[in-house]
Amino acid sequence: MYNGEFYQCLEVTISCETHADCLRTTNSLKKLCEAWYFNVKFNEYKSARKGEVLTRTLMIYQTAYAGDIVIFKECVRRICEYFRIFHQSVSFTDRGSEPVNKLRQDN
């Protein structure tokens, strides 16, 4: 059994009718990532370079132990579900997780 660190990638796409709503929703998710600080990084991609941005995508990367991976993934999933139900169109995609080091060699 592997008891080391894992690397995971999550993708969140936010689509809104107004630029302000899209920015507000994205900032909520970015604040969650910043709260985890040490082991979470993210990249943001926008649908436009200038003017109204109605679609944003966050690619979230985390390296941590299994418990932290599960907890953080569920936090992101629940926030996305809240926004999807009550506000805007938000899609959550789990891009998978994998061990950082392979401690056991299979022969």
Side-chain angles (χ1 to χ4, degrees):
M1 172 152 80
Y2 180 75
N3 199 19
E5 289 186 321
F6 289 84
Y7 173 80
Q8 82 171 341
C9 179
L10 307 171
E11 178 182 357
V12 179
T13 303
I14 299 108
S15 300
C16 301
E17 293 181 11
T18 67
H19 173 76
D21 287 342
C22 190
L23 184 60
R24 189 177 316 112
T25 304
T26 304
N27 284 342
S28 296
L29 288 162
K30 287 169 38 176
K31 286 178 184 177
L32 170 67
C33 294
E34 290 168 356
W36 286 70
Y37 185 69
F38 290 109
N39 58 357
V40 175
K41 297 176 183 160
F42 63 88
N43 294 327
E44 179 180 1
Y45 303 96
K46 304 174 194 175
S47 63
R49 288 182 175 246
K50 293 183 179 180
E52 297 286 306
V53 177
L54 303 178
T55 302
R56 293 174 186 258
T57 300
L58 282 177
M59 295 297 293
I60 304 169
Y61 309 98
Q62 181 186 30
T63 303
Y65 290 98
D68 289 334
I69 291 283
V70 172
I71 292 168
F72 181 74
K73 184 187 312 183
E74 198 58 28
C75 287
V76 173
R77 184 189 323 265
R78 294 296 174 194
I79 290 173
C80 290
E81 189 68 16
Y82 169 80
F83 283 121
R84 190 185 67 75
I85 291 172
F86 294 105
H87 296 292
Q88 296 84 17
S89 173
V90 176
S91 71
F92 171 84
T93 306
D94 181 359
R95 296 284 180 189
S97 58
E98 59 186 30
V100 173
N101 300 326
K102 187 161 184 172
L103 299 177
R104 183 180 69 181
Q105 295 292 331
D106 295 328
N107 295 330

